[in-house]
Amino acid sequence: MKLLIATTNEGKVREIQKLTLDLGVAIVHLGDPSLPDIPEAVEDGETFAENALKKAMHYGTLSGLPTVAEDAGLEIPSLDNWPGVHSARVANTDEERVALALGKMKEIEGENRIGRFVSFVAFYNPSDQTSEFFKGIVEGEILEEPRGENGFGYDPIFYYPELKKTFAELTSEEKNSVSHRGQSFRKFAEWLGKFGIQLISK
Ligand code: IMP
């Protein structure tokens, strides 16, 4: 039984491999040589859920495999949830995206510096065209300066008060245990173990 993880991000593949270890599913990802050539999915949805489902349906339909895809980003409520679904595209590099966010937050103080990472995982089964969603969300504070070398994206300015560190100061295990993506993938793996295995082995 094969499950396609619609990503080229090795971190995401490793994480889902760990979470589904006991389920007896073979994980393949987009770089797998057994897959046909599949053009890249267009991520032009207006919500994380829409983009995750678009990716899962695109790669699931073209590969014929049950497929899981994720879309995630940062939301800052005091900036009308900017950058949201555009998190990856508001500037060209992680450093520029962080600098842009810090610039927009310059005049913003205290409780208004709350931010949250949101992750939506979508599962699509091409054999019966059904889908499922799994959501993860983690709240923190946007710092005034970056801190830490780990992680990626907005991690250096995302302070997680419970651990008194930014996400870029956590090990990948620590981050996975609390992050939006860890939560949504754990919910997916739990669902797959309970109900999904029967569905995808039909
Ligand atoms: P993707 O859905 O993993 O492609 O994430 C979209 C963008 O959201 C990334 O390029 C990052 O800018 C931001 N993002 C998503 N998840 C994280 C995270 O865990 N840490 C930092 N930035 C993130």
Side-chain angles (χ1 to χ4, degrees), residues 12 70-73 87-88 117 152-155 175 180-181:
K12 287 190 194 178
E70 193 234 12
D71 197 41
S87 291
F117 279 125
F152 70 102
Y154 302 89
D155 281 345
K175 182 178 165 187
H180 51 314
R181 184 170 302 106

Side-chain angles (χ1 to χ4, degrees), residues 9 12 43 48 55 70-74 84-89 94 97 117-119 151-156 158 167 175 179-181:
N9 179 324
K12 287 190 194 178
E43 286 185 50
F48 297 118
K55 282 192 271 188
E70 193 234 12
D71 197 41
L74 177 68
V85 281
H86 308 293
S87 291
R89 296 183 290 274
D94 274 351
R97 287 185 276 272
F117 279 125
V118 181
S119 159
F152 70 102
Y154 302 89
D155 281 345
F158 188 84
F167 267 15
K175 182 178 165 187
S179 78
H180 51 314
R181 184 170 302 106

Side-chain angles (χ1 to χ4, degrees), residues 45-121:
E46 289 184 9
T47 62
F48 297 118
E50 203 183 319
N51 276 337
L53 185 60
K54 265 179 192 248
K55 282 192 271 188
M57 288 181 73
H58 175 83
Y59 293 107
T61 304
L62 294 176
S63 67
L65 295 174
T67 297
V68 64
E70 193 234 12
D71 197 41
L74 177 68
E75 288 184 345
I76 302 175
S78 60
L79 300 178
D80 289 332
N81 290 336
W82 182 92
V85 281
H86 308 293
S87 291
R89 296 183 290 274
V90 290
N92 290 326
T93 65
D94 274 351
E95 287 71 26
E96 286 169 7
R97 287 185 276 272
V98 162
L100 190 62
L102 290 180
K104 283 181 182 279
M105 296 292 286
K106 232 181 187 137
E107 308 293 323
I108 298 176
E109 292 178 347
E111 282 186 7
N112 292 328
R113 296 191 69 93
I114 283 173
R116 58 180 172 246
F117 279 125
V118 181
S119 159
F120 268 88
V121 163

